[in-house]
Amino acid sequence: MTSEWGEKSTADLMSRCVSKEMGQGVPKEGWRICLAHEFKEKRKPFQAKDVSLSNVMDHIGLGIRYLKWWYKKTQVEKKAPFIDMFRALPLRQIYGAPLGGIGGGTITRGWRGEFCRWQLNPGMYHYKTVIANQFTVCLRRGGQTVYQQVLSVERPPTLQGWNWGYCGEYAFYHALYPRAWTVYQLPGQNVTLTCRQISPVIPHDYQDSSLPAAVFVWDIENKNDYALDVSIMFTMVNGSGHKDDKSGGHWNEPFHLEKDGEAVSGVLLHHCTAANPYTLCIAAREQADREVSHQTAFSPKGTCSGLWSDLITDGRLDSPTGSSPPTQKGEKVAAALAVSCSVPAHKLNSLEFCLAWDMPRITFGSREREHVRRYARYFGDKGDASPSLSHYALTHYKQWEKSIEEWQRPILRDSSLPPWYKSALFNELYFVADGGTVWTELSEDADVSGGVRSEDGGLPAQPALVKEYGRFAYLEGQEYRMYNTYDVHFYASFALIMLWPKLALSVQYDIAGTVVQQDPTERLHLMNGRYSPVKTKNVVPHDIGDPDDEPWQRLNAYLIHDTADWKDLNLKFVLQVYRDFHLTQDSQYLQDMWPICQAVMESELKFDQDGDGLIENSGYADQTYDGWTVTGASAYCGGMWLASLCVMCKMARLVDSEEAYQRYKDLLERGSAAFDKLLWNGKYYNYDSSERALSNSVMSDQCAGHWFLRASGLEEEAYQAFPKEKIRRALKSVFDLNVMSFSEGHMGAVNGMRPEGVPDRSSVQSDEVWIGVVYGLAATMIHEGMLEEGMRTAEGCYRTVWERLGMAFQTPEAYCERSIYRSLAYMRPLSVWAMQLALDRSQRDNTVRAKTGDTDEIET
């Protein structure tokens, strides 16, 4: 299931590597790239100027209103827009696996070794490579330094006293999140270094997975006939490259912590800003055959030759006592930590470092409320946890790795799965931690219910699950700054419900509590130019807020459309409720969600305008594809409506409500007949029933409702809305047209395709490929026994993003066939885990059929 063009694409990433060294413990599976690689294709972000003339004319009012709003936001309020159409992020083809657990902030280390993307303030990203943050190796023989090199291919204009310009052709990077390896052959030295980074992102773990820390293990292979003394130095600036690094008042201090027979030492870098102060920590284990030394403070400007000379003299640093003075305004301060060991001839030794950061109490942009991060439950919220965090990380990382390997092993050893898929499955998980993610404690005065209690058809004020596991939020994308955007979470949620189900349910409780809320405040919606309430009762919100404002308190940061008219949000809530119950069997959750599901379904019925049991669309962009006009019944929303009726029937039976069952069953029967009559054309479901020129476009996601039914285990005839043969025929049409007729089948599935085999270009988004939608489509194909087609469909997206366009660890929402991408580092591609759910279910079904002798339908 790996194509020839795909194998060539993979090989190209390593084509400039001259070293044959494979390093220590580097797995075969994952994303591998030579440090000397250069991506040939350079794409540009979609911006306002890229809208076609015809679409400009259709949206001229939107453009004017957005420009006015953007000017007020950026020039008057001095705030960053939640979506900035004029200053989209340029593509930097540099990112590697992020460091840190879930919800405590992240620091991304690029695949060439640079520390280059920072999310310490919750949800707010800073893209700056801090050049002084480096690892340096020093080799000594017979008391003399024979080699000292910064392990960076960069040649910066600063820090000229350091030896830069490591030759990238002798090294490669390999990522299998949450771990990554960099293998360096030191030219002419007969020494190979393997740097392994480990972050505590561990499925079904709700303690260590929250920790803001990562460990670097350096394995040193000495292939010489003589012993060497080897030192690794880790340098770190107090800050993140942000302008507040020069605001003054920052200071460093050395520390030593001994606990349970293990000792660690290092340097604390106290970053003393008015909002969200934090402490960075670089640390190492103290062991009998290792020497740990430090430099508390140095200035990361000029030549910085003093630090270089300090290390080169004897392979260690001076280790002064006492703290550094607070910085003056305009100056920066950095620290260094070195660990040394002896490596006998033809032997291996290792050194261990930790990077941790402690920002336990956080405020969002409005600074109205203080929140406590999850990890503070275990390490305190006083801001003094960095020594304990580093001690814990350095003494527990082996257990983290054991847990990670046990989780990944069955998939990595499955020879029926292609290598690219294994890389996609694990590496796309980066977004769970690096999606601007916050994981906080439920404060004592918080009321999740939205004011409507259980006895009135609502929720408890503090559901036991949320109280125990906290609140979780992640951004729609690093550029689309809205937390828990629900129409996108619908796709991404497979990763959470399969790996951290308690967090998935916590999100559902938060969303359920918002359903009963209403905010009558009138505001201008930019698309139609009309004023309408911020939040309507019994409608799922688009999102729970902007981190630059006050999430959970002010909903619906998205103000392009009036999302009260979005029919799919309520339906996606209902579908997720049952899928999550099916996968967790949490009966209390089902009982709590049932009345909320009934309320949102009732609000949907107003869209059944002709009483045929099928909701209809009447207007502009009222579903997930912005700019694609929908009139009448549609394959996407209509299909999800029918799927929602199916799960309502199932849930009615589970809660023993015969009256509800009969009501939803009647709607399902009438709606299914209308859906089939209005939309089925013999080959696929038309985009909508309007009979306008483009109503018969082929939508790649037309079977989304059916996908969720299969993911929820609803194969019983009583809970089916779509004839199986029509679903398979529709998927075959999508594969033939949207996949294989688009870019020779090498780029996944385009959103909209005309029956004659050309992309639908009627809207801004119809000719895009949405990576997360494609992974969901592939999962649907796998559920329906179309394994080869599903894998081919998804492979095109992975190859395009990770191997051709250089978008590793920043998978975008979308790309077009040429030139353009949109919204880097996006939530939706987490839906790749829906493919794994489909594969797991397919294997179980085949096993059952084989045991029962029913082999006629076993898929190969």
Side-chain angles (χ1 to χ4, degrees), residues 373-420:
R373 294 197 198 258
R374 168 74 174 184
Y375 79 88
R377 175 179 291 205
Y378 311 105
F379 287 88
D381 63 356
K382 306 302 182 186
D384 58 0
S386 289
S388 296
L389 277 166
S390 60
H391 187 284
Y392 187 89
L394 286 165
T395 55
H396 286 77
Y397 80 85
K398 291 181 180 177
Q399 182 58 50
W400 296 348
E401 290 198 280
K402 183 173 182 289
S403 298
I404 291 166
E405 288 168 359
E406 288 174 353
W407 157 48
Q408 294 183 339
R409 186 179 297 119
I411 294 169
L412 298 181
R413 287 187 175 179
D414 188 341
S415 60
S416 70
L417 299 175
W420 68 262

Side-chain angles (χ1 to χ4, degrees), residues 142-156:
Q144 297 294 319
T145 296
V146 296
Y147 180 86
Q148 187 161 298
Q149 173 73 54
V150 182
L151 294 170
S152 169
V153 299
E154 301 292 336
R155 296 180 181 273

Side-chain angles (χ1 to χ4, degrees), residues 343-396:
V343 188
H346 301 286
K347 296 293 183 180
L348 174 74
N349 213 336
S350 62
L351 302 172
E352 302 165 340
F353 292 84
C354 176
L355 173 63
W357 50 97
D358 185 25
M359 185 196 286
R361 291 184 169 271
I362 55 173
T363 57
F364 292 106
S366 72
R367 301 192 188 180
E368 292 174 21
R369 298 173 65 91
E370 191 172 62
H371 304 263
V372 177
R373 294 197 198 258
R374 168 74 174 184
Y375 79 88
R377 175 179 291 205
Y378 311 105
F379 287 88
D381 63 356
K382 306 302 182 186
D384 58 0
S386 289
S388 296
L389 277 166
S390 60
H391 187 284
Y392 187 89
L394 286 165
T395 55
H396 286 77

Side-chain angles (χ1 to χ4, degrees), residues 498-512:
M498 293 175 69
L499 302 175
W500 294 275
K502 304 299 186 185
L503 296 183
L505 299 190
S506 176
V507 170
Q508 288 291 87
Y509 272 105
D510 262 331
I511 294 295

Side-chain angles (χ1 to χ4, degrees), residues 235-484:
T235 49
M236 178 68 61
V237 171
N238 186 330
S240 61
H242 192 269
K243 61 183 180 182
D244 66 21
D245 292 2
K246 294 183 177 181
S247 62
H250 311 313
W251 57 286
N252 302 344
E253 63 172 327
F255 80 94
H256 170 86
L257 175 63
E258 189 165 350
K259 182 180 177 182
D260 301 327
E262 294 277 1
V264 300
S265 60
V267 184
L268 304 176
L269 297 82
H270 301 293
H271 199 76
C272 304
T273 50
N276 298 333
Y278 62 90
T279 297
L280 289 167
C281 172
I282 52 176
R285 289 177 78 173
E286 292 190 356
Q287 297 169 284
D289 55 350
R290 308 283 191 277
E291 183 176 9
V292 180
S293 58
H294 70 270
Q295 183 55 261
T296 307
F298 69 91
S299 175
K301 68 178 183 180
T303 63
C304 205
S305 56
L307 180 71
W308 191 260
S309 298
D310 188 4
L311 182 68
I312 209 169
T313 300
D314 56 6
R316 62 184 304 279
L317 301 174
D318 284 347
S319 301
T321 59
S323 60
S324 69
T327 56
Q328 298 298 309
K329 191 170 184 178
E331 70 178 13
K332 297 181 182 180
V333 66
L337 185 71
V339 187
S340 309
C341 69
S342 178
V343 188
H346 301 286
K347 296 293 183 180
L348 174 74
N349 213 336
S350 62
L351 302 172
E352 302 165 340
F353 292 84
C354 176
L355 173 63
W357 50 97
D358 185 25
M359 185 196 286
R361 291 184 169 271
I362 55 173
T363 57
F364 292 106
S366 72
R367 301 192 188 180
E368 292 174 21
R369 298 173 65 91
E370 191 172 62
H371 304 263
V372 177
R373 294 197 198 258
R374 168 74 174 184
Y375 79 88
R377 175 179 291 205
Y378 311 105
F379 287 88
D381 63 356
K382 306 302 182 186
D384 58 0
S386 289
S388 296
L389 277 166
S390 60
H391 187 284
Y392 187 89
L394 286 165
T395 55
H396 286 77
Y397 80 85
K398 291 181 180 177
Q399 182 58 50
W400 296 348
E401 290 198 280
K402 183 173 182 289
S403 298
I404 291 166
E405 288 168 359
E406 288 174 353
W407 157 48
Q408 294 183 339
R409 186 179 297 119
I411 294 169
L412 298 181
R413 287 187 175 179
D414 188 341
S415 60
S416 70
L417 299 175
W420 68 262
Y421 171 75
K422 297 170 184 177
S423 175
L425 188 69
F426 294 115
N427 284 324
E428 291 288 9
L429 267 181
Y430 83 95
F431 196 84
V432 171
D434 203 17
T437 311
V438 289
W439 185 0
T440 65
E441 294 292 329
L442 185 65
S443 61
E444 292 184 2
D445 62 344
D447 184 349
V448 170
S449 73
V452 180
R453 298 289 193 270
S454 303
E455 56 270 21
D456 299 317
L459 298 172
Q462 296 209 334
L465 182 139
V466 184
K467 202 167 184 178
E468 174 60 27
Y469 293 99
R471 289 180 128 170
F472 177 86
Y474 58 162
L475 296 175
E476 179 177 337
Q478 291 180 12
E479 292 191 84
Y480 285 15
R481 211 181 55 242
M482 296 158 283
Y483 271 134
N484 293 354

Side-chain angles (χ1 to χ4, degrees), residues 646-664:
C646 286
V647 302
M648 289 300 287
C649 289
K650 181 68 174 180
M651 288 191 289
R653 281 281 162 87
L654 291 169
V655 300
D656 200 24
S657 176
E658 185 62 25
E659 180 182 354
Y661 173 81
Q662 291 299 335
R663 182 159 191 267
Y664 294 122

Side-chain angles (χ1 to χ4, degrees), residues 8 197 321 520 529 563:
K8 182 180 183 301
Q197 71 177 51
T321 59
T563 55

